[in-house]
Amino acid sequence: MIVQVLGCSGSIAAGCRTTSFLLDDDVLVDAGTGVGDMPLDALARVEHILISHSHLDHILSIGLLADSVMRERATRGPIQVHALPETLAALRTHIFNGVIWPDFTRLPSAEHPMLALVPFAVGDVLELNGKRVEVLDASHTVPAVGFAVDGGTAGWWVYTGDTGPNPALWERLAKMKVAHLVIETAFRDDERQLARISRHLCPAALGHELQHLGGSVDVHITHIKPGERAAVMAEIGKLGSLHKIRALEIGDVMRLVDEPKRAYA
Ligand SMILES: [Zn+2]
Ligand SMILES: [Zn+2]
């Protein structure tokens, strides 16, 4: 399985796209502005969208994607949008309400809609076209989750979603072989107060969180605001963490390669 980074910025500017990852060619994890760089035929192959929470930077491409692929997907079933019930209710009320955007859960027809909203709960393990995805706890200003994708013997690809400090996450990850951890650091340390009230991490808080993760893991920083990347990474560099920490970039590909089973012992 491969995980492709479509967007990993906290907001927009030239060259910056908000959060979205593509698992192989059929599962999106969050649907930020990065989705808009996919060719139309690739958009039409998306069968599932996993949504971490209701904030605009993570959801705004869902409705646009549904609109773009209506003709290409005319004879196929709806794209499944998976999220917490609270997140799905927010999408229905505030996005697919006929005012901000048409209700693609009933279009082009109620019998053959473009989108199906599918609730999950923290701890659920979803089976999506042969991919196993566990829903992880997150601690944000709205109901929120992260995701862990099972890479078999290669280990798990873990995405925290938007989150402040969260002991429940580390309790769960302690029982997993984490191959890649994508974790947010939305603010610099001089904005730690803002990070605290908006339930995000700053480098100092990241340092505290990563102390709960054993070993030396590939850690990828996401959700840095445009223009802040060098400053945030410099502060992270001073943490002296044992993990291999780098800033995520658009176009990065993370591979989870199952070790081949041996035919002969
Ligand atoms: Zn958020
Ligand atoms: Zn966000």
Side-chain angles (χ1 to χ4, degrees):
M1 184 175 52
I2 65 167
V3 182
Q4 199 177 324
V5 179
L6 304 174
C8 54
S9 175
S11 196
I12 59 164
C16 296
R17 309 281 188 275
T18 71
T19 308
S20 191
F21 305 97
L22 182 63
L23 309 185
D24 293 332
D25 66 348
D26 55 349
V27 178
L28 282 176
V29 176
D30 277 340
T33 64
V35 174
D37 289 337
M38 293 172 68
L40 185 60
D41 61 330
L43 289 174
R45 285 196 291 273
V46 172
E47 298 287 345
H48 299 273
I49 306 176
L50 299 165
I51 295 294
S52 65
H53 66 298
S54 59
H55 282 159
L56 188 65
D57 55 320
H58 300 254
I59 60 135
L60 89 177
S61 286
I62 304 172
L64 295 166
L65 166 61
D67 197 8
S68 292
V69 301
M70 198 143 61
R71 185 174 290 276
E72 282 73 11
R73 291 188 61 98
T75 57
R76 288 151 67 183
I79 301 166
Q80 315 263 313
V81 179
H82 307 260
L84 290 171
E86 297 92 330
T87 307
L88 297 177
L91 290 174
R92 276 190 193 285
T93 305
H94 302 296
I95 301 290
F96 299 109
N97 56 12
V99 178
I100 296 294
W101 204 240
D103 181 2
F104 278 100
T105 67
R106 303 182 64 78
L107 287 171
S109 69
E111 297 76 34
H112 300 287
M114 289 309 303
L115 299 176
L117 306 185
V118 186
F120 60 49
V122 170
D124 282 359
V125 177
L126 316 176
E127 303 275 349
L128 309 173
N129 294 354
K131 286 179 261 295
R132 288 179 74 240
V133 181
E134 182 170 325
V135 181
L136 301 173
D137 189 65
S139 176
H140 199 37
T141 52
V142 293
V145 301
F147 300 104
V149 181
D150 189 354
T153 56
W156 294 77
W157 179 83
V158 176
Y159 162 55
T160 63
D162 287 10
T163 189
N166 183 16
L169 174 69
W170 305 111
E171 267 174 42
R172 179 66 190 102
L173 295 191
K175 301 186 184 86
M176 280 179 172
K177 178 184 170 189
V178 179
H180 295 275
L181 174 68
V182 175
I183 186 167
E184 70 125 288
T185 307
F187 289 101
R188 290 160 68 169
D189 278 336
D190 64 358
E191 293 180 309
R192 71 183 67 200
Q193 192 57 26
L194 198 51
R196 197 179 348 243
I197 59 175
S198 60
R199 302 297 301 168
H200 281 292
L201 296 175
C202 60
L206 175 78
H208 283 122
E209 294 300 287
L210 289 181
Q211 285 175 7
H212 302 290
L213 181 68
S216 180
V217 174
D218 284 316
V219 173
H220 311 268
I221 304 299
T222 188
H223 214 291
I224 303 174
K225 293 260 162 59
E228 305 277 283
R229 183 187 150 106
V232 166
M233 292 313 294
E235 290 176 354
I236 289 174
K238 290 180 189 150
L239 294 173
S241 172
L242 295 175
H243 299 294
K244 293 162 273 182
I245 308 178
R246 57 181 291 279
L248 213 54
E249 289 181 46
I250 289 177
D252 279 352
V253 172
M254 290 166 271
R255 290 175 201 282
L256 292 167
V257 182
D258 240 334
E259 284 165 21
K261 290 193 176 69
R262 292 185 185 182
Y264 305 102

